[in-house]
Amino acid sequence: MFHKDMPYRRLGSCGIKVSALSLGGWTTYGASVKAEDTVRSIIRAAFEAGVNFFDISDIYEKGEAERAMGKVFAELPRHELVISTKCFWPMSDDVNDQGLSRKHIMESIDKSLKRIGTDYVDIYFCHRPDPNTPIEETARAMDDLVHRGKVLYWGSSEWSGEQIRMAQEICDGRNLYAPVVEQPQLSLVARKKYHNDVAPALADHGLGAVTWSPLASGLLSGKYDDGLPEGARLWRSENLRKSYLTPENMQKVKEFKALADEAGVSRAQLALAWCLAQPQVASVITGATRLEQWQHNLGALKVNLGDELRRRIEALFPADK
Ligand SMILES: NC(=O)c1ccc[n+]([C@@H]2O[C@H](COP(=O)([O-])OP(=O)(O)OC[C@H]3O[C@@H](n4cnc5c(N)ncnc54)[C@H](OP(=O)(O)O)[C@@H]3O)[C@@H](O)[C@H]2O)c1
């Protein structure tokens, strides 16, 4: 995959390159967006704009996101795609159908490959740390998957800096394929853990980050300025609404509009451009419910984020959250 307007970045210090903007399927494809034509039109538009990296998880609508996105991937050249999926969250009540045990990893990958309709995934993520499984057991299972060709690279999601460092040390000491990427939350309203804990560990060990919820589930676009638009994500999810729609966030997002206006871009584009400029970030995983959202968000690549604008953005959204 190559598109002249899409930057491609190395995933940390390894050789594979991912598009700076990528597309994920959480709560959307196979869930709030069930129509196959809509899923197809968004994924195809992203691909045509140069996106090569697509992110899924087994838990997204219990396999339905893998199925919905996999159907579209089947129409695209597999070798041009960087497909990731994940395991950890319980897929059933079975005590072993969860976590990062060798058993769950080995069984989950086969189910994911079947649902996606591919022989391998480019990146396999541990969707959270598992306090009930030693990191060495997880690392050995992942190493085996790489040897078997089912997984090309593996990584973590929402691990702490300490866990990231520990995994590297264990893999280095035992000559195992080590994680090359972390998938952390990063947005203007969620930056404390990334900047204070995760990014330094990634830099020390040469890992890349592919970051999630860059618009804080849409909040940073300003769509909630005047209430809850019916059908929008924070209208649909009470949990997300409670965590994001705080009076403090609402106020800041309104003030953020002045900065975006001055720069001649939208808040969504500016929020994405800020994520793209953060250390260790290889790709910012976006979400889109509608084709127009994707097309609009793509404009983030054209934003000129100078030092002064960045300083003012970070003063409005300090790294205390
Ligand atoms: N590793 C993890 O634990 C984890 C967790 C969460 C997400 N992720 C990954 O990260 C990906 C992206 O996360 P996300 O979907 O939360 O990203 P996001 O960019 O924060 O939110 C995307 C949502 O915001 C709304 N939106 C997007 N662009 C908009 C625009 N220009 N104007 C108005 N509304 C807009 C849409 O929702 P509505 O139209 O429905 O309101 C869209 O579905 C996921 O798909 C998944 O692959 C990973």
Side-chain angles (χ1 to χ4, degrees), residues 23-29 32 54-57 60 86 89 125 127-128 157-158 183-185 187 211-219 221-224 231-234 236 244 266 268-269 272 285-290 292-294 296-297:
L23 184 70
W26 178 54
T27 81
T28 51
Y29 313 132
S32 67
F54 295 90
D55 181 67
I56 339 176
S57 170
Y60 296 169
K86 319 185 186 82
W89 294 105
F125 285 102
H127 208 154
R128 288 292 181 274
S157 179
E158 289 300 318
Q183 186 172 142
Q185 182 177 22
S187 73
T211 62
W212 61 266
S213 284
L215 297 182
S217 275
L219 168 78
S221 72
K223 72 194 292 178
Y224 298 102
R233 188 184 291 177
L234 300 189
R236 296 195 309 270
Y244 286 126
S266 72
Q269 290 165 337
L272 292 169
I285 313 174
T286 65
T289 305
R290 298 200 315 271
E292 308 81 69
Q293 289 174 350
W294 159 255
H296 179 88
N297 295 344

Side-chain angles (χ1 to χ4, degrees), residues 83-111:
I83 300 174
S84 67
T85 194
K86 319 185 186 82
C87 72
F88 167 76
W89 294 105
M91 291 293 283
S92 70
D93 293 338
D94 178 348
V95 290
N96 284 316
D97 200 8
Q98 57 185 280
L100 298 177
S101 68
R102 180 174 187 81
K103 181 169 173 61
H104 190 234
I105 288 174
M106 290 296 170
E107 291 177 355
S108 297
I109 188 68
D110 285 338
K111 291 177 193 163

Side-chain angles (χ1 to χ4, degrees), residues 103-174:
K103 181 169 173 61
H104 190 234
I105 288 174
M106 290 296 170
E107 291 177 355
S108 297
I109 188 68
D110 285 338
K111 291 177 193 163
S112 283
L113 293 178
K114 197 165 172 202
R115 285 189 292 256
I116 300 168
T118 182
D119 296 333
Y120 66 96
V121 287
D122 299 87
I123 310 172
Y124 201 33
F125 285 102
C126 299
H127 208 154
R128 288 292 181 274
D130 179 0
N132 297 311
T133 305
I135 291 182
E136 179 169 353
E137 177 177 337
T138 301
R140 285 196 184 278
M142 288 295 194
D143 179 72
D144 281 343
L145 290 185
V146 176
H147 285 285
R148 290 178 198 182
K150 296 184 183 192
V151 165
L152 303 190
Y153 300 92
W154 73 281
S156 53
S157 179
E158 289 300 318
W159 285 23
S160 66
E162 190 187 345
Q163 288 159 335
I164 291 166
R165 291 177 198 280
M166 205 184 294
Q168 294 296 317
E169 279 157 26
I170 287 170
C171 291
D172 288 353
R174 292 156 183 74

